[in-house]
Amino acid sequence: MRPVLDSEKRRLLRIRRLLKQRKPEFLRYLWWKFPKFINQYAWRRPKGNDNKMRLRIKGYPPSVNVGYGSPSEVRGLHPSGLEPVIVHNVKELQGLDPRRHIVYIAHTVGLRKRLEILREAEKLGLRVANRV
């Protein structure tokens, strides 16, 4: 089933997609310099008194700011416009609307229960984002 999206929500999703294309990838300061950061690219706020990135000096990576955010009405939604729901068992599928929700199976769920959830989701007409 296709999600029911009004024209305003469609427009905002399109805007979010365009903004995300222009948004830089925010990585921690000096990730390129030290081997200890080789697998720790996640954003960390620069806090040093003389930190060049915090001072927004030319030539240093951009810092996280308010202006990079997406429209609040579509923030956290799946690119299709559906609301993501994490499911751990078959029981949690009850009460979900296929026109409003998209299902993510939790990473802690094993193969047997994952197959049960997939079967039940198909019966209910729900979309599963991480099918495998």
Side-chain angles (χ1 to χ4, degrees):
M1 259 187 239
R2 297 193 58 88
V4 179
L5 298 174
D6 57 340
S7 60
E8 178 65 13
K9 200 174 234 186
R10 254 193 216 104
R11 185 182 73 81
L12 291 172
L13 283 167
R14 196 176 315 117
I15 288 171
R16 182 180 75 170
R17 191 175 66 241
L18 293 171
L19 286 173
K20 280 191 171 218
Q21 288 173 356
R22 290 203 314 241
K23 181 181 74 81
E25 194 177 357
F26 295 113
L27 302 171
R28 75 183 297 156
Y29 180 62
L30 295 180
W31 65 268
W32 61 89
K33 194 170 180 182
F34 296 110
K36 68 180 179 179
F37 296 148
I38 199 74
N39 291 319
Q40 297 176 1
Y41 297 133
W43 170 253
R44 295 291 179 270
R45 179 168 161 66
K47 295 181 196 137
N49 205 21
D50 297 326
N51 191 295
K52 312 292 187 294
M53 195 166 160
R54 184 187 66 78
L55 296 171
R56 298 190 187 129
I57 291 180
K58 181 180 169 183
Y60 285 87
S63 200
V64 174
N65 281 320
V66 171
Y68 288 111
S70 57
S72 59
E73 292 85 8
V74 292
R75 194 172 299 146
L77 295 183
H78 187 266
S80 64
L82 295 170
E83 196 178 312
V85 177
I86 298 173
V87 172
H88 298 83
N89 56 45
V90 178
K91 205 172 173 183
E92 292 178 2
L93 291 174
Q94 305 309 317
L96 295 181
D97 181 13
R99 291 182 171 275
R100 212 178 113 208
H101 297 105
I102 188 165
V103 172
Y104 280 91
I105 300 174
H107 79 282
T108 54
V109 175
L111 182 62
R112 187 189 318 154
K113 201 185 283 186
R114 178 179 286 270
L115 293 173
E116 288 176 25
I117 291 172
L118 285 169
R119 272 189 231 107
E120 188 64 27
E122 199 172 311
K123 282 182 200 168
L124 296 171
L126 290 161
R127 286 174 57 187
V128 180
N130 56 345
R131 281 193 95 81
V132 175

